[in-house]
Amino acid sequence: MRKDLIIGAVANYTKDKIVEYVQSINKSGFTGDKIMICYDLPNETMEYLNQNNWMCYEAQTNGHPHMKRLIDMWQILETHITGYRFVITTDVRDVIFQTNPSDYLEEKYYYGDRLSGWWEKTEVFVASERLQYHKQEWNIKNIHEGYGNIYWEWIKNKEIGNVGIIAGKGTGVKALLMLNWLVSQAGDVRHYTDQSSLNLLIHNDLIKDKVTLVNDLCLQVGTLNEELDIRDGIVYNPITNKPYPLIHQWDRNETLTKLFKTK
């Protein structure tokens, strides 16, 4: 069976900034490859990643690493390591894995067993922020800073996808990384255009049938609109009654910080 991959990117982080992320993946049962794009990391951080079986690829920043990571991830998947079944790309510092993401993706993609074929046309799942653009101040500011007012009427009532949590078929995630990079460079790159460019893409009629916004892959704490359902140290999705595979922006919530922060 082809391997799965988790890939992330960090810049200038000390070890303490990534401990929760790394250890949560170790505990999740994930058995695939792990790759980190490393921008100016201290030696201690690199050593810690290597000790935990991460493949580290050193790269140079050019502008914001938030955007640069898109093309660097694509290039690694295109030229160095290919053929992954599933690829999961996430933010790092503020992400916790509660369960094995491969299990989640298998449930999404396969009918009953692995021999039954792919599910529908979806190539990529993007974590939803569960709000329309016009209801979230940071995203309103972000789309206007990057692209002005030209797309506002078109996107204001569309659901926000979060660029920090993307997962799906290896080929689909790789293609989306390339397109996201290209569209991000069409905006005002003095600002962070990675999230706004993603949303311009995933809602475009030409490719929107290839991407599905999902509420059950990740709890987006930054736009949390529900009471936390915590049982035995695990955060559950009240709709599915299953643990959220990932928690994003956990450090913005006092309860979750106490729950996940490494002592």
Side-chain angles (χ1 to χ4, degrees):
M1 183 189 302
R2 291 184 297 159
K3 285 185 177 182
D4 300 338
L5 171 70
I6 293 172
I7 185 168
V10 288
N12 305 302
Y13 278 0
T14 51
K15 172 186 169 182
D16 62 290
K17 299 292 187 183
I18 65 171
V19 167
E20 289 83 14
Y21 180 81
V22 169
Q23 294 302 322
S24 71
I25 294 172
N26 290 347
K27 295 174 184 176
S28 74
F30 180 77
T31 59
D33 287 344
K34 297 175 291 187
I35 291 176
M36 191 69 74
I37 312 296
C38 301
Y39 303 109
D40 302 316
L41 286 194
N43 289 335
E44 181 189 19
T45 310
M46 298 277 286
E47 290 171 4
Y48 177 70
L49 287 166
N50 287 324
Q51 290 165 2
N52 284 274
N53 301 312
W54 286 81
M55 293 179 278
C56 297
Y57 286 82
E58 295 187 69
Q60 300 297 315
T61 54
N62 180 15
H64 297 299
H66 300 73
M67 281 97 80
K68 183 63 163 42
R69 64 176 171 166
L70 301 171
I71 191 62
D72 287 337
M73 288 178 181
W74 174 82
Q75 192 165 31
I76 284 172
L77 293 174
E78 175 68 16
T79 62
H80 292 277
I81 304 175
T82 60
Y84 285 111
R85 180 183 64 153
F86 299 139
V87 170
I88 303 100
T89 175
T90 73
D91 287 351
V92 174
R93 180 189 54 78
D94 59 356
V95 171
I96 289 287
F97 285 73
Q98 293 200 125
T99 64
N100 186 345
S102 295
D103 294 340
Y104 170 88
L105 290 169
E106 285 193 353
E107 289 184 15
K108 286 289 187 184
Y109 276 119
Y110 296 120
Y111 288 111
D113 63 72
R114 296 172 180 168
L115 301 178
S116 300
W118 296 108
W119 174 73
E120 294 186 4
K121 296 180 180 179
T122 295
E123 291 284 332
V124 181
F125 295 103
V126 173
S128 171
E129 296 198 4
R130 306 185 188 188
L131 287 173
Q132 296 171 314
Y133 249 91
H134 69 92
K135 295 181 179 180
Q136 215 287 316
E137 289 184 11
W138 185 89
N139 281 283
I140 294 171
K141 179 174 179 285
N142 181 248
I143 191 79
H144 282 90
E145 284 180 340
Y147 296 92
N149 197 51
I150 187 170
Y151 296 115
W152 177 244
E153 291 299 320
W154 177 79
I155 205 170
K156 68 180 182 182
N157 292 318
K158 300 188 188 303
E159 187 176 358
I160 304 164
N162 190 281
V163 72
I165 307 291
I166 296 172
K169 299 179 188 177
T171 53
V173 173
K174 181 175 72 171
L176 185 58
L177 286 167
M178 174 200 266
L179 291 174
N180 199 5
W181 161 256
L182 291 169
V183 176
S184 76
Q185 298 307 290
D188 184 344
V189 295
R190 295 175 298 175
H191 304 283
Y192 302 118
T193 55
D194 54 330
Q195 171 125 330
S196 46
S197 60
L198 174 75
N199 281 274
L200 293 174
L201 273 168
I202 65 177
H203 292 296
N204 187 283
D205 288 340
L206 194 62
I207 70 166
K208 67 181 183 182
D209 64 335
K210 307 290 189 191
V211 181
T212 299
L213 282 167
V214 287
N215 294 327
D216 57 351
L217 171 60
C218 177
L219 176 63
Q220 295 289 155
V221 177
T223 50
L224 181 69
N225 58 2
E226 65 190 41
E227 294 293 324
L228 291 172
D229 181 0
I230 302 175
R231 310 175 212 167
D232 298 322
I234 301 294
V235 185
Y236 279 75
N237 183 325
I239 298 174
T240 65
N241 201 34
K242 295 179 180 180
Y244 285 102
L246 287 83
I247 309 290
H248 188 199
Q249 300 162 342
W250 58 271
D251 56 351
R252 301 187 187 187
N253 180 279
E254 184 177 355
T255 299
L256 295 179
T257 298
K258 290 178 180 178
L259 182 64
F260 295 130
K261 183 67 177 176
T262 300
K263 302 295 189 295

